[in-house]
Amino acid sequence: MPEVTAPPEALARSEAAARSEVIARGVRFHVRTMGPDDPGAPVVVFVHGLVRDNLSSFYCTLACPVAAAGARAVLYDLRGHGLTERPPTGYGPADAVADLLAVLDALGHTAPVHLVANSWGGAVALNAALTAPDRVAGLALIEAHGPSERPAEWNEGLLNTLGEFALMLEHDRPAERFSALGWRRSGRFAATAGALINGTTLLEDLAAAGPVGPADLAALACPVLAVYGEHSDVLEAGRLLLRTVPGCTLHTMPGCAHDVLQDRTAELLEVLLPWLAHHAGTRVPAGGGAR
């Protein structure tokens, strides 16, 4: 199948994307929207991962081509991430779901939407579909955390990684060193990450969270696309989705680990765009593809 890339008009739309801020649940959220203003256009909402991620992870990878296919693409920074306000508490899945629904309400999107979620964003999207099934029409989950049959250890790897990162940020002070070297962007990222991990209840909230188990997964009524790398450390979550979710399609990326979104963007679009065309009613990309 030919490589799927964003056409020139999609790139132009990306440049013209509307940037705004909305207040939801008392928090100021940074939001970007792109695509047609047609009220009948399907709405596709992108939910990013933790700490190192923000809405820019989707901006020039998936959101631009999805908007070019006729969807109203909505991107937002999760609380504490990117340009969104960083309150000291509220970083568990339940708060993230409440934030998502409140952001959609503030934008006037009350009809069901399709969620495209990466990494920890997958846990948010899954819980949103279970909490408010009338608001979620479909899920495209990329390397999603959340599904597990092992409540005591489902997020152990994630917590260990974030804990080590927290210690490094606190003791090695990379933000100061990067700034001293003139690496302003890296310095800002390190400062933001340090404030999020060491200055909020993020780690405590994640430690207290439970996985989405088989019984809840079996109750999902919307279609689910799950994409995981062949060598991903969370591939078992994808296999569990396939076994338990009635409307699930699992696609495994050969030779890839957790960074599917960045490392295999073109192949990911070859899977995502036809799936959205089938389930959301966006335009069918040339060459068709798996549904």
Side-chain angles (χ1 to χ4, degrees):
M1 182 181 299
E3 181 177 82
V4 178
T5 56
E9 64 269 22
L11 295 176
R13 184 180 287 109
S14 173
E15 292 300 320
R19 172 179 171 180
S20 63
E21 292 182 343
V22 300
I23 304 298
R25 304 181 69 229
V27 177
R28 186 183 69 255
F29 284 87
H30 172 226
V31 178
R32 291 270 181 138
T33 57
M34 63 179 79
D37 290 325
D38 178 2
V43 177
V44 178
V45 182
F46 294 84
V47 189
H48 66 76
L50 284 175
V51 181
R52 69 173 183 168
D53 278 350
N54 53 51
L55 65 76
S56 67
S57 298
F58 288 115
Y59 193 73
C60 289
T61 52
L62 304 185
C64 184
V66 167
R72 185 66 173 166
V74 176
L75 305 90
Y76 74 107
D77 287 330
L78 298 175
R79 70 166 56 203
H81 293 73
L83 299 179
T84 287
E85 191 176 357
R86 188 176 59 248
T89 60
Y91 292 89
D95 277 301
V97 169
D99 287 347
L100 167 60
L101 297 177
V103 167
L104 291 177
D105 287 342
L107 293 172
H109 297 308
T110 56
V113 302
H114 284 76
L115 302 178
V116 177
N118 183 54
S119 194
W120 173 256
V124 179
L126 276 167
N127 280 281
L130 291 167
T131 301
D134 59 321
R135 304 291 299 274
V136 179
L139 300 174
L141 306 175
I142 306 161
E143 282 291 315
H145 289 274
S148 180
E149 298 176 279
R150 301 187 296 274
E153 53 190 81
W154 76 279
N155 60 356
E156 184 177 0
L158 177 65
L159 287 169
N160 287 340
T161 299
L162 289 176
E164 292 172 1
F165 191 33
L167 289 173
M168 183 274 291
L169 289 169
E170 184 176 3
H171 295 291
D172 294 350
R173 301 186 180 280
E176 296 178 9
R177 292 193 288 109
F178 288 149
S179 297
L181 291 170
W183 298 349
R184 290 178 292 179
R185 184 175 179 182
S186 297
R188 286 196 301 269
F189 166 77
T192 300
L196 177 59
I197 295 180
N198 292 315
T200 73
T201 59
L202 174 69
L203 294 180
E204 295 91 330
D205 292 346
L206 296 182
V212 182
D216 287 330
L217 292 172
L220 278 172
C222 65
V224 176
L225 171 66
V227 182
Y228 288 82
E230 176 189 19
H231 305 300
S232 169
D233 59 342
V234 291
L235 177 57
E236 185 52 40
R239 293 172 176 151
L240 179 60
L241 285 166
L242 181 63
R243 291 197 304 270
T244 55
V245 176
C248 180
T249 299
L250 174 63
H251 184 88
T252 304
M253 291 281 188
C256 195
H258 190 61
D259 287 330
V260 168
L261 177 60
Q262 300 296 336
D263 292 350
R264 306 293 278 272
T265 304
E267 294 168 63
L268 181 56
L269 284 167
E270 290 176 354
V271 178
L272 176 64
L273 291 178
W275 186 86
L276 285 173
H278 181 65
H279 293 286
T282 53
R283 286 190 289 274
V284 180
R291 297 186 301 180

